[in-house]
Amino acid sequence: MSDSTKGRLSRRNFLRVSALAGGGLLLSTRFELLGTASAATADAAGSLSTHVSISPDGLVHIVAQNPEIGQGVKTMLPMLIAEELDVAWEQVRVTQGDLDTDSFSGQFAGGSMATPMHWKPMRVAGATARAMLIGAAASRWGVSADSLTTDAGAVLHKATGRSLSYGELATEAAALAVPSADNLVLKTPQEFKILGVSKPGVDNSKIVTGQPLFGIDVTLPGMKYAVFAKSPVYGAKLKAVDLETVKQAAGVSHAFVVRGDTPLSGLQDGVAIVADSWWAAKSARDELVVEWDEGPTAAQSSAGFAEQAELLSKGEPTQVIKADGNVEVALGAAAKTVEAAYSYPFIAHAPLEPQNCTCHVTEGAVEIWAPSQTPERARDGVAELLGIDKSKVTLHLTRMGGGFGRRLYNDFVMESAQIAKQVGVPVKLLWTREDDMAHDLYRPGGFHYLKGGLDANGDLSAWYDHFVTFGEGKKFSASASMGLAEFPQGFVADYSLVASKMALGVPTGALRAPTSNAISFVIQSFMDELAHAGSKDPLEFRLQLLDKVIAAGTKTRLDAKRMRNVLLLVAEKSGWGKRQLARGSGMGVAFHFSHRGYFAEVVQATVSKRGDVAVDQIWVAGDVGNLIINPINAENQVQGAVLDGLAQALQQEITFEGGAAKQSNFHNFKLLRMAQAPPIEVHFLQSEGDPTGLGEPALPPVPPALCNAIFAATGQRVRSLPLANHDLSWT
Amino acid sequence: MKIDFTLNGAATTVDVTPDMPLLWVLRDVLDMKGTKFGCGASLCGACTVHVDGKATRTCRLPVQDVKGAKVTTIEGLSADGTHPVQIAWKEIDVPQCGYCQAGQMMTVSALLETNPSPSDGQINSAMNRNLCRCATYSRIRKAIHHSAELIAGDEAATASGSGAK
């Protein structure tokens, strides 16, 4: 797709087709988000567009519009188009689109949203092109369009045995009127040839031969390399720096102070060092002498948060998030009550490709190569920062070495733009791993003080959660909140979720399955405690809770039937209740609904007498709608999400001292290793509704399922993470 | 300072400060971007290449230490993706983000040179210092076994005289 083609699109056109120079078809579409296409709504926010071109040789070029962070979207979105276009996957060539808000929408990677947002519009785009190719064949042959079919990139007239390839028809098709999306008939799942059939990643060949794909790989003529030194304490102001010595260092061309006056997720005070190699810039920085005024955040620490939370737990909560019935009365009337305090730590995202961005600021224009999950926000932020119109900012998307939510925030893009503006030539800013650990927008820690009640039958009769979290006033720190309808709300008549908050000077943000990745541990562990307190099998206890709501027909945020079905499936696959395990080994179960996905998981773990935890196996049952679009990637995503959750539960935490993160690299912030990765069986229940996303929802059940397994194995209840902080030895 | 070594079979000379790590010589001086930077502290393995056939971290390896050595990077495993490890990685669809995979594959290809049919335990110890943040470990393990089969198949084919790859 040449850049010149984009200029032909105007916001008014919801669909336009034009001939490509040299023959061929270019199709551009705009559709309403999550709805049917209509010209009237084409300019509404959330509309989207995609580009398909067919060259005379029959190759189908599809632009993948969304940022690829490893979730497989660069393969999946083109599959949707190719299916309805009715071409063979082997004919398809995929290229990465740039940020283009006139032509595309929903160009971001977050919230497991690409599948639900683009499921219909991308297929409509493919079906529209197919209808036009049929129209071209119909005129050429003088037959009705109804008498024609398609297969593998060709239009067929069965009555006469004639056929024409899409490549032969593309130029004529481009001259035809665009059919209304309302008249298009999309395939039924039974007719799918591409969707539901495994397609390895479209970039695999480039990845295995080491070709440049990632942000860090960008190279431009005359480019310089930058590092940016900031205080390890957020919000610190630069007090003094010796720039002259740095400027003398080998290879260094520039050293200057950048002042940050924007919020925590934006630009911070720092020292930019620019050199003719990154190594030279980094080496000069190692010798940098700089003084910071650290400000009030320096008084904050993880130990301080824990002390403060304990105090707040004893006082009145400052906010009621959700209150049903009368939990106090219900607890008083309960046959049995259980109380417990749970907590989880801050966690870093730590994508393996350190933050980087390449930027070239010239007179009146900016060009950026950004590994960003939110490229539109990155562009708009740069435009605002540099005081230029956003139409003057060109942003190229690069493949990313992991996202996990970290690259939803564009602080590193702002830094690179500010530095490049001063330097005048293209500059690649690259952080060190230590920069990344010190300057994350962390998954916030949190504290929960719970009370649960059971009736005489051992069924749940009351649930109270005093959530001590971060924020100020009514406002929660990012990803430090809980929803109004989080399970078990709606499953127990007397339910109360209340909160108290602590001020936080450290920025927080979304980490894969935000909020869910933390609260699932609390909810599903405490649920386990209540099951045991009522002498019930933990899986049975959960089933009974779901069954009660199903029988009553109560409306709850999660569909109790769908959850029940994945729970039953994981019970069957894991042999729940049927395995005889030696002491020290046990199975735990948990489920969680997030990002439209239903997941129930069973972990089998063995705790040695010394207290070492080994995870033997994990079984996963998931329901993300009526189709698994790309099974080979779906399994990979789920296994990855499960191991991500396992790493968090076992060994990950960021602790603060003097306002700064203590952990600095992978020796003290530990990623999972090969030997720790158990076999993971993934089973999908293909149920109802259009397919939804898979990047996130498999993660949250893992930490509680593991902790519940440890309880089954040893009788020790783990109420704070990570497990590495606990002595789990037994005799 | 001029330093000579063999890179992917070709005689190579660079004129850089001798303590510059090989990683940055490869990436920024020779413009070979396949070898990745992940931690800068020999902790993650993203920067793994072969030095005289051995899987070696390069983010802290001064380039002067490879003077006269044979260095092979992911680009040298095969440029067209036909090395058995590359074939297995594509077929098994190992990558998620793909960033660590060059390092993983260089460690695997060195392992298979000395141990053509590693057990799961041997895989665990050989691969334990190559981190994958996406945690594609199940796939990496599967692809190692598949690579071993492909290599064994090639050797069997060669031994039986068919010679075809």
Side-chain angles (χ1 to χ4, degrees), chain A residues 201 204 208 210 216-217 219 279 349 399 404 433 632 635-636 644 665 672-673, chain B residues 21 24 27 33-34 36-39 86 93-94 96-97 99 128 133-134 137 139:
Chain A
N204 280 1
V208 304
I216 197 173
D217 300 337
T219 303
W279 183 249
H349 295 80
R399 194 179 178 91
F404 311 105
R433 174 58 51 195
I632 198 171
E635 185 196 59
N636 209 356
D644 205 351
N665 206 322
L672 202 79
R673 291 173 188 274
Chain B
W24 297 108
R27 289 187 56 84
K33 300 294 200 277
K36 297 302 193 220
F37 167 58
C39 67
Q86 292 170 317
D93 197 29
V94 175
Q96 285 187 31
C97 83
Y99 194 76
N128 213 35
R133 173 66 180 88
C134 304
Y137 296 118
R139 294 279 169 98

mmCIF file of all heavy atoms in Angstrom, chain A residues 201 204 208 210 216-217 219 279 349 399 404 433 632 635-636 644 665 672-673, chain B residues 21 24 27 33-34 36-39 86 93-94 96-97 99 128 133-134 137 139:
data_model
loop_
_atom_site.group_PDB
_atom_site.id
_atom_site.type_symbol
_atom_site.label_atom_id
_atom_site.label_comp_id
_atom_site.label_asym_id
_atom_site.label_seq_id
_atom_site.Cartn_x
_atom_site.Cartn_y
_atom_site.Cartn_z
ATOM 1 N N GLY A 201 1.918 -17.009 12.776
ATOM 2 C CA GLY A 201 2.077 -15.564 12.678
ATOM 3 C C GLY A 201 2.682 -15.110 11.348
ATOM 4 O O GLY A 201 3.621 -15.726 10.859
ATOM 5 N N ASN A 204 6.477 -14.527 11.269
ATOM 6 C CA ASN A 204 7.379 -15.585 11.742
ATOM 7 C C ASN A 204 8.668 -15.689 10.934
ATOM 8 O O ASN A 204 9.753 -15.843 11.500
ATOM 9 C CB ASN A 204 6.670 -16.953 11.731
ATOM 10 C CG ASN A 204 5.780 -17.141 12.949
ATOM 11 O OD1 ASN A 204 5.673 -16.246 13.789
ATOM 12 N ND2 ASN A 204 5.137 -18.290 13.045
ATOM 13 N N VAL A 208 12.380 -15.280 12.678
ATOM 14 C CA VAL A 208 13.375 -16.357 12.808
ATOM 15 C C VAL A 208 14.643 -16.100 11.992
ATOM 16 O O VAL A 208 15.630 -16.819 12.140
ATOM 17 C CB VAL A 208 12.796 -17.753 12.461
ATOM 18 C CG1 VAL A 208 11.572 -18.048 13.308
ATOM 19 C CG2 VAL A 208 12.503 -17.906 10.973
ATOM 20 N N GLY A 210 15.840 -12.866 11.980
ATOM 21 C CA GLY A 210 16.428 -11.687 12.623
ATOM 22 C C GLY A 210 16.288 -10.398 11.847
ATOM 23 O O GLY A 210 17.114 -9.488 11.969
ATOM 24 N N ILE A 216 13.077 -0.817 18.373
ATOM 25 C CA ILE A 216 14.506 -0.679 18.686
ATOM 26 C C ILE A 216 15.372 -0.884 17.445
ATOM 27 O O ILE A 216 16.534 -0.484 17.415
ATOM 28 C CB ILE A 216 14.903 -1.679 19.808
ATOM 29 C CG1 ILE A 216 16.236 -1.304 20.452
ATOM 30 C CG2 ILE A 216 14.919 -3.092 19.307
ATOM 31 C CD1 ILE A 216 16.585 -2.167 21.668
ATOM 32 N N ASP A 217 14.799 -1.491 16.407
ATOM 33 C CA ASP A 217 15.565 -1.796 15.190
ATOM 34 C C ASP A 217 15.565 -0.648 14.176
ATOM 35 O O ASP A 217 16.239 -0.732 13.148
ATOM 36 C CB ASP A 217 14.987 -3.043 14.512
ATOM 37 C CG ASP A 217 15.025 -4.276 15.406
ATOM 38 O OD1 ASP A 217 15.861 -4.303 16.334
ATOM 39 O OD2 ASP A 217 14.240 -5.210 15.177
ATOM 40 N N THR A 219 16.443 2.390 12.058
ATOM 41 C CA THR A 219 17.680 3.107 11.753
ATOM 42 C C THR A 219 17.397 4.111 10.641
ATOM 43 O O THR A 219 16.730 3.761 9.672
ATOM 44 C CB THR A 219 18.775 2.133 11.261
ATOM 45 O OG1 THR A 219 18.977 1.149 12.261
ATOM 46 C CG2 THR A 219 20.086 2.854 11.022
ATOM 47 N N TRP A 279 25.897 3.137 22.843
ATOM 48 C CA TRP A 279 26.865 2.747 23.861
ATOM 49 C C TRP A 279 27.625 3.961 24.405
ATOM 50 O O TRP A 279 27.851 4.081 25.614
ATOM 51 C CB TRP A 279 27.846 1.703 23.301
ATOM 52 C CG TRP A 279 28.801 1.236 24.335
ATOM 53 C CD1 TRP A 279 30.144 1.479 24.389
ATOM 54 C CD2 TRP A 279 28.479 0.469 25.505
ATOM 55 N NE1 TRP A 279 30.676 0.916 25.520
ATOM 56 C CE2 TRP A 279 29.677 0.290 26.228
ATOM 57 C CE3 TRP A 279 27.300 -0.063 26.026
ATOM 58 C CZ2 TRP A 279 29.730 -0.411 27.431
ATOM 59 C CZ3 TRP A 279 27.347 -0.764 27.214
ATOM 60 C CH2 TRP A 279 28.552 -0.923 27.898
ATOM 61 N N HIS A 349 5.683 -4.107 34.523
ATOM 62 C CA HIS A 349 5.296 -4.761 33.265
ATOM 63 C C HIS A 349 6.469 -5.514 32.647
ATOM 64 O O HIS A 349 6.298 -6.615 32.155
ATOM 65 C CB HIS A 349 4.818 -3.727 32.249
ATOM 66 C CG HIS A 349 3.578 -2.991 32.612
ATOM 67 N ND1 HIS A 349 3.571 -1.924 33.480
ATOM 68 C CD2 HIS A 349 2.292 -3.165 32.228
ATOM 69 C CE1 HIS A 349 2.323 -1.467 33.591
ATOM 70 N NE2 HIS A 349 1.531 -2.209 32.848
ATOM 71 N N ARG A 399 6.478 -3.240 15.238
ATOM 72 C CA ARG A 399 6.216 -4.392 16.085
ATOM 73 C C ARG A 399 6.815 -4.105 17.459
ATOM 74 O O ARG A 399 7.817 -3.388 17.564
ATOM 75 C CB ARG A 399 6.854 -5.642 15.481
ATOM 76 C CG ARG A 399 6.352 -6.942 16.094
ATOM 77 C CD ARG A 399 6.967 -8.188 15.488
ATOM 78 N NE ARG A 399 6.434 -9.326 16.197
ATOM 79 C CZ ARG A 399 5.335 -9.987 15.841
ATOM 80 N NH1 ARG A 399 4.714 -9.668 14.733
ATOM 81 N NH2 ARG A 399 4.884 -10.986 16.581
ATOM 82 N N PHE A 404 1.877 -5.691 27.332
ATOM 83 C CA PHE A 404 1.331 -6.012 28.662
ATOM 84 C C PHE A 404 0.679 -4.806 29.317
ATOM 85 O O PHE A 404 0.440 -4.797 30.517
ATOM 86 C CB PHE A 404 2.420 -6.625 29.573
ATOM 87 C CG PHE A 404 3.182 -7.728 28.909
ATOM 88 C CD1 PHE A 404 4.483 -7.526 28.448
ATOM 89 C CD2 PHE A 404 2.581 -8.957 28.689
ATOM 90 C CE1 PHE A 404 5.160 -8.536 27.784
ATOM 91 C CE2 PHE A 404 3.261 -9.967 28.027
ATOM 92 C CZ PHE A 404 4.558 -9.766 27.576
ATOM 93 N N ARG A 433 17.324 -1.286 30.887
ATOM 94 C CA ARG A 433 16.384 -2.076 31.681
ATOM 95 C C ARG A 433 16.142 -1.428 33.038
ATOM 96 O O ARG A 433 15.031 -1.411 33.561
ATOM 97 C CB ARG A 433 16.931 -3.506 31.868
ATOM 98 C CG ARG A 433 16.132 -4.409 32.794
ATOM 99 C CD ARG A 433 14.681 -4.571 32.358
ATOM 100 N NE ARG A 433 14.567 -4.947 30.973
ATOM 101 C CZ ARG A 433 13.439 -4.881 30.270
ATOM 102 N NH1 ARG A 433 12.324 -4.454 30.821
ATOM 103 N NH2 ARG A 433 13.422 -5.220 28.999
ATOM 104 N N ILE A 632 -4.120 -21.853 16.755
ATOM 105 C CA ILE A 632 -2.702 -22.032 17.122
ATOM 106 C C ILE A 632 -2.216 -20.854 17.963
ATOM 107 O O ILE A 632 -1.401 -21.023 18.875
ATOM 108 C CB ILE A 632 -1.816 -22.258 15.862
ATOM 109 C CG1 ILE A 632 -0.460 -22.867 16.252
ATOM 110 C CG2 ILE A 632 -1.638 -20.977 15.070
ATOM 111 C CD1 ILE A 632 0.373 -23.327 15.070
ATOM 112 N N GLU A 635 -4.132 -20.820 21.666
ATOM 113 C CA GLU A 635 -3.502 -21.661 22.689
ATOM 114 C C GLU A 635 -2.245 -20.989 23.243
ATOM 115 O O GLU A 635 -2.004 -20.978 24.450
ATOM 116 C CB GLU A 635 -3.148 -23.029 22.097
ATOM 117 C CG GLU A 635 -2.599 -23.980 23.142
ATOM 118 C CD GLU A 635 -1.900 -25.187 22.545
ATOM 119 O OE1 GLU A 635 -0.910 -25.012 21.779
ATOM 120 O OE2 GLU A 635 -2.329 -26.304 22.838
ATOM 121 N N ASN A 636 -1.466 -20.395 22.347
ATOM 122 C CA ASN A 636 -0.229 -19.715 22.766
ATOM 123 C C ASN A 636 -0.541 -18.558 23.713
ATOM 124 O O ASN A 636 0.113 -18.385 24.750
ATOM 125 C CB ASN A 636 0.501 -19.213 21.508
ATOM 126 C CG ASN A 636 2.013 -19.130 21.674
ATOM 127 O OD1 ASN A 636 2.557 -19.370 22.751
ATOM 128 N ND2 ASN A 636 2.698 -18.782 20.602
ATOM 129 N N ASP A 644 2.157 -16.040 32.853
ATOM 130 C CA ASP A 644 2.328 -14.678 33.344
ATOM 131 C C ASP A 644 1.753 -14.595 34.766
ATOM 132 O O ASP A 644 2.388 -14.086 35.702
ATOM 133 C CB ASP A 644 1.582 -13.721 32.405
ATOM 134 C CG ASP A 644 2.134 -12.306 32.412
ATOM 135 O OD1 ASP A 644 2.982 -11.999 33.269
ATOM 136 O OD2 ASP A 644 1.710 -11.508 31.559
ATOM 137 N N ASN A 665 16.433 -4.979 37.804
ATOM 138 C CA ASN A 665 16.702 -5.770 36.596
ATOM 139 C C ASN A 665 16.185 -7.190 36.873
ATOM 140 O O ASN A 665 15.588 -7.434 37.934
ATOM 141 C CB ASN A 665 18.198 -5.742 36.248
ATOM 142 C CG ASN A 665 18.464 -5.965 34.751
ATOM 143 O OD1 ASN A 665 17.801 -6.767 34.104
ATOM 144 N ND2 ASN A 665 19.435 -5.244 34.212
ATOM 145 N N LEU A 672 9.457 -15.687 34.755
ATOM 146 C CA LEU A 672 9.389 -17.144 34.821
ATOM 147 C C LEU A 672 10.468 -17.742 33.928
ATOM 148 O O LEU A 672 10.834 -17.154 32.912
ATOM 149 C CB LEU A 672 8.007 -17.613 34.350
ATOM 150 C CG LEU A 672 7.606 -18.999 34.846
ATOM 151 C CD1 LEU A 672 7.133 -18.904 36.294
ATOM 152 C CD2 LEU A 672 6.505 -19.600 33.985
ATOM 153 N N ARG A 673 10.963 -18.897 34.311
ATOM 154 C CA ARG A 673 11.972 -19.598 33.509
ATOM 155 C C ARG A 673 11.414 -20.914 32.982
ATOM 156 O O ARG A 673 10.445 -21.432 33.500
ATOM 157 C CB ARG A 673 13.221 -19.865 34.352
ATOM 158 C CG ARG A 673 13.950 -18.581 34.666
ATOM 159 C CD ARG A 673 15.105 -18.751 35.630
ATOM 160 N NE ARG A 673 15.592 -17.432 35.982
ATOM 161 C CZ ARG A 673 16.497 -16.743 35.266
ATOM 162 N NH1 ARG A 673 17.022 -17.294 34.187
ATOM 163 N NH2 ARG A 673 16.864 -15.537 35.633
ATOM 164 N N PRO B 21 30.549 -3.380 23.865
ATOM 165 C CA PRO B 21 30.071 -4.761 23.820
ATOM 166 C C PRO B 21 29.746 -5.212 22.392
ATOM 167 O O PRO B 21 29.278 -4.410 21.573
ATOM 168 C CB PRO B 21 28.811 -4.727 24.690
ATOM 169 C CG PRO B 21 29.010 -3.559 25.607
ATOM 170 C CD PRO B 21 29.738 -2.543 24.764
ATOM 171 N N TRP B 24 26.399 -4.170 20.752
ATOM 172 C CA TRP B 24 26.214 -2.841 20.159
ATOM 173 C C TRP B 24 27.033 -2.676 18.887
ATOM 174 O O TRP B 24 26.660 -1.912 17.996
ATOM 175 C CB TRP B 24 26.508 -1.760 21.207
ATOM 176 C CG TRP B 24 25.521 -1.895 22.323
ATOM 177 C CD1 TRP B 24 25.752 -2.363 23.589
ATOM 178 C CD2 TRP B 24 24.103 -1.658 22.239
ATOM 179 N NE1 TRP B 24 24.584 -2.418 24.308
ATOM 180 C CE2 TRP B 24 23.558 -1.989 23.508
ATOM 181 C CE3 TRP B 24 23.254 -1.210 21.231
ATOM 182 C CZ2 TRP B 24 22.175 -1.883 23.773
ATOM 183 C CZ3 TRP B 24 21.894 -1.093 21.501
ATOM 184 C CH2 TRP B 24 21.382 -1.426 22.757
ATOM 185 N N ARG B 27 24.659 -4.392 16.401
ATOM 186 C CA ARG B 27 23.415 -3.664 16.136
ATOM 187 C C ARG B 27 23.657 -2.293 15.502
ATOM 188 O O ARG B 27 23.028 -1.939 14.512
ATOM 189 C CB ARG B 27 22.616 -3.470 17.438
ATOM 190 C CG ARG B 27 21.993 -4.752 17.976
ATOM 191 C CD ARG B 27 21.078 -4.456 19.149
ATOM 192 N NE ARG B 27 20.056 -3.495 18.791
ATOM 193 C CZ ARG B 27 18.906 -3.796 18.185
ATOM 194 N NH1 ARG B 27 18.614 -5.044 17.922
ATOM 195 N NH2 ARG B 27 18.060 -2.840 17.875
ATOM 196 N N LYS B 33 20.331 -6.183 13.147
ATOM 197 C CA LYS B 33 19.416 -5.938 14.252
ATOM 198 C C LYS B 33 18.792 -7.198 14.852
ATOM 199 O O LYS B 33 17.947 -7.114 15.743
ATOM 200 C CB LYS B 33 18.286 -5.003 13.770
ATOM 201 C CG LYS B 33 18.780 -3.647 13.284
ATOM 202 C CD LYS B 33 19.388 -2.850 14.429
ATOM 203 C CE LYS B 33 19.465 -1.368 14.162
ATOM 204 N NZ LYS B 33 20.627 -0.959 13.388
ATOM 205 N N GLY B 34 19.179 -8.360 14.337
ATOM 206 C CA GLY B 34 18.555 -9.588 14.834
ATOM 207 C C GLY B 34 18.873 -9.886 16.286
ATOM 208 O O GLY B 34 18.054 -10.443 17.016
ATOM 209 N N LYS B 36 19.252 -9.064 20.076
ATOM 210 C CA LYS B 36 18.461 -8.071 20.814
ATOM 211 C C LYS B 36 19.051 -7.673 22.168
ATOM 212 O O LYS B 36 19.761 -8.444 22.812
ATOM 213 C CB LYS B 36 17.051 -8.633 21.057
ATOM 214 C CG LYS B 36 16.259 -8.906 19.783
ATOM 215 C CD LYS B 36 16.081 -7.674 18.923
ATOM 216 C CE LYS B 36 15.047 -7.872 17.839
ATOM 217 N NZ LYS B 36 15.404 -7.279 16.557
ATOM 218 N N PHE B 37 18.677 -6.465 22.580
ATOM 219 C CA PHE B 37 19.027 -5.920 23.893
ATOM 220 C C PHE B 37 17.823 -6.081 24.809
ATOM 221 O O PHE B 37 16.735 -5.608 24.479
ATOM 222 C CB PHE B 37 19.373 -4.442 23.718
ATOM 223 C CG PHE B 37 19.464 -3.643 25.001
ATOM 224 C CD1 PHE B 37 20.352 -4.008 26.013
ATOM 225 C CD2 PHE B 37 18.670 -2.518 25.189
ATOM 226 C CE1 PHE B 37 20.437 -3.256 27.182
ATOM 227 C CE2 PHE B 37 18.762 -1.755 26.352
ATOM 228 C CZ PHE B 37 19.643 -2.134 27.359
ATOM 229 N N GLY B 38 18.033 -6.764 25.949
ATOM 230 C CA GLY B 38 16.909 -6.925 26.874
ATOM 231 C C GLY B 38 17.219 -6.424 28.267
ATOM 232 O O GLY B 38 16.374 -5.820 28.917
ATOM 233 N N CYS B 39 18.458 -6.679 28.755
ATOM 234 C CA CYS B 39 18.743 -6.333 30.158
ATOM 235 C C CYS B 39 20.078 -5.621 30.326
ATOM 236 O O CYS B 39 20.271 -4.897 31.290
ATOM 237 C CB CYS B 39 18.711 -7.596 31.026
ATOM 238 S SG CYS B 39 20.050 -8.751 30.644
ATOM 239 N N GLN B 86 14.952 -22.899 12.675
ATOM 240 C CA GLN B 86 14.071 -21.852 12.116
ATOM 241 C C GLN B 86 12.776 -22.459 11.573
ATOM 242 O O GLN B 86 11.685 -21.914 11.782
ATOM 243 C CB GLN B 86 14.800 -21.086 10.998
ATOM 244 C CG GLN B 86 15.959 -20.230 11.509
ATOM 245 C CD GLN B 86 16.810 -19.690 10.365
ATOM 246 O OE1 GLN B 86 17.125 -20.413 9.414
ATOM 247 N NE2 GLN B 86 17.195 -18.430 10.470
ATOM 248 N N ASP B 93 4.893 -22.324 15.459
ATOM 249 C CA ASP B 93 4.381 -20.970 15.755
ATOM 250 C C ASP B 93 4.776 -20.572 17.173
ATOM 251 O O ASP B 93 3.923 -20.229 17.993
ATOM 252 C CB ASP B 93 2.857 -20.919 15.573
ATOM 253 C CG ASP B 93 2.317 -19.485 15.465
ATOM 254 O OD1 ASP B 93 3.060 -18.602 14.995
ATOM 255 O OD2 ASP B 93 1.152 -19.253 15.859
ATOM 256 N N VAL B 94 6.077 -20.590 17.414
ATOM 257 C CA VAL B 94 6.578 -20.275 18.762
ATOM 258 C C VAL B 94 6.359 -18.811 19.138
ATOM 259 O O VAL B 94 5.889 -18.523 20.231
ATOM 260 C CB VAL B 94 8.076 -20.640 18.884
ATOM 261 C CG1 VAL B 94 8.612 -20.187 20.241
ATOM 262 C CG2 VAL B 94 8.280 -22.133 18.693
ATOM 263 N N GLN B 96 5.382 -15.121 20.225
ATOM 264 C CA GLN B 96 4.271 -14.189 20.458
ATOM 265 C C GLN B 96 4.791 -12.830 20.011
ATOM 266 O O GLN B 96 4.644 -12.474 18.862
ATOM 267 C CB GLN B 96 3.802 -14.237 21.910
ATOM 268 C CG GLN B 96 2.991 -15.522 22.187
ATOM 269 C CD GLN B 96 2.358 -15.566 23.548
ATOM 270 O OE1 GLN B 96 1.993 -14.550 24.122
ATOM 271 N NE2 GLN B 96 2.213 -16.771 24.087
ATOM 272 N N CYS B 97 5.459 -12.101 20.918
ATOM 273 C CA CYS B 97 6.045 -10.842 20.431
ATOM 274 C C CYS B 97 7.271 -11.104 19.568
ATOM 275 O O CYS B 97 7.586 -10.340 18.678
ATOM 276 C CB CYS B 97 6.352 -9.895 21.583
ATOM 277 S SG CYS B 97 7.917 -10.165 22.428
ATOM 278 N N TYR B 99 10.459 -11.094 20.429
ATOM 279 C CA TYR B 99 11.671 -10.328 20.728
ATOM 280 C C TYR B 99 12.811 -11.193 21.264
ATOM 281 O O TYR B 99 13.965 -10.973 20.929
ATOM 282 C CB TYR B 99 11.329 -9.223 21.730
ATOM 283 C CG TYR B 99 12.389 -8.171 21.876
ATOM 284 C CD1 TYR B 99 12.542 -7.194 20.899
ATOM 285 C CD2 TYR B 99 13.242 -8.153 22.975
ATOM 286 C CE1 TYR B 99 13.518 -6.211 21.028
ATOM 287 C CE2 TYR B 99 14.223 -7.176 23.105
ATOM 288 C CZ TYR B 99 14.357 -6.212 22.130
ATOM 289 O OH TYR B 99 15.318 -5.249 22.260
ATOM 290 N N ASN B 128 17.490 -22.445 30.690
ATOM 291 C CA ASN B 128 17.004 -21.782 31.891
ATOM 292 C C ASN B 128 17.407 -20.320 32.004
ATOM 293 O O ASN B 128 16.829 -19.584 32.790
ATOM 294 C CB ASN B 128 17.428 -22.550 33.140
ATOM 295 C CG ASN B 128 16.383 -22.433 34.242
ATOM 296 O OD1 ASN B 128 15.190 -22.390 33.953
ATOM 297 N ND2 ASN B 128 16.820 -22.345 35.479
ATOM 298 N N ARG B 133 9.413 -13.179 28.068
ATOM 299 C CA ARG B 133 8.403 -12.446 28.839
ATOM 300 C C ARG B 133 6.988 -12.871 28.446
ATOM 301 O O ARG B 133 6.077 -12.810 29.267
ATOM 302 C CB ARG B 133 8.614 -10.936 28.647
ATOM 303 C CG ARG B 133 7.560 -10.040 29.253
ATOM 304 C CD ARG B 133 7.546 -10.105 30.774
ATOM 305 N NE ARG B 133 6.519 -9.248 31.348
ATOM 306 C CZ ARG B 133 5.262 -9.624 31.568
ATOM 307 N NH1 ARG B 133 4.866 -10.838 31.244
ATOM 308 N NH2 ARG B 133 4.394 -8.781 32.106
ATOM 309 N N CYS B 134 6.799 -13.285 27.188
ATOM 310 C CA CYS B 134 5.480 -13.786 26.781
ATOM 311 C C CYS B 134 5.267 -15.203 27.295
ATOM 312 O O CYS B 134 4.159 -15.719 27.199
ATOM 313 C CB CYS B 134 5.333 -13.781 25.267
ATOM 314 S SG CYS B 134 5.599 -12.190 24.473
ATOM 315 N N TYR B 137 7.174 -20.824 26.664
ATOM 316 C CA TYR B 137 8.037 -21.966 26.991
ATOM 317 C C TYR B 137 7.509 -23.316 26.497
ATOM 318 O O TYR B 137 8.287 -24.176 26.088
ATOM 319 C CB TYR B 137 8.287 -22.012 28.503
ATOM 320 C CG TYR B 137 9.049 -20.818 29.015
ATOM 321 C CD1 TYR B 137 8.493 -19.946 29.941
ATOM 322 C CD2 TYR B 137 10.344 -20.540 28.551
ATOM 323 C CE1 TYR B 137 9.190 -18.840 30.420
ATOM 324 C CE2 TYR B 137 11.052 -19.437 29.026
ATOM 325 C CZ TYR B 137 10.468 -18.590 29.951
ATOM 326 O OH TYR B 137 11.168 -17.495 30.406
ATOM 327 N N ARG B 139 5.846 -23.865 23.841
ATOM 328 C CA ARG B 139 6.132 -23.915 22.400
ATOM 329 C C ARG B 139 7.627 -24.071 22.139
ATOM 330 O O ARG B 139 8.026 -24.756 21.203
ATOM 331 C CB ARG B 139 5.627 -22.640 21.712
ATOM 332 C CG ARG B 139 4.129 -22.489 21.719
ATOM 333 C CD ARG B 139 3.497 -23.320 20.619
ATOM 334 N NE ARG B 139 2.052 -23.385 20.761
ATOM 335 C CZ ARG B 139 1.194 -22.608 20.086
ATOM 336 N NH1 ARG B 139 1.627 -21.719 19.234
ATOM 337 N NH2 ARG B 139 -0.108 -22.758 20.260
#
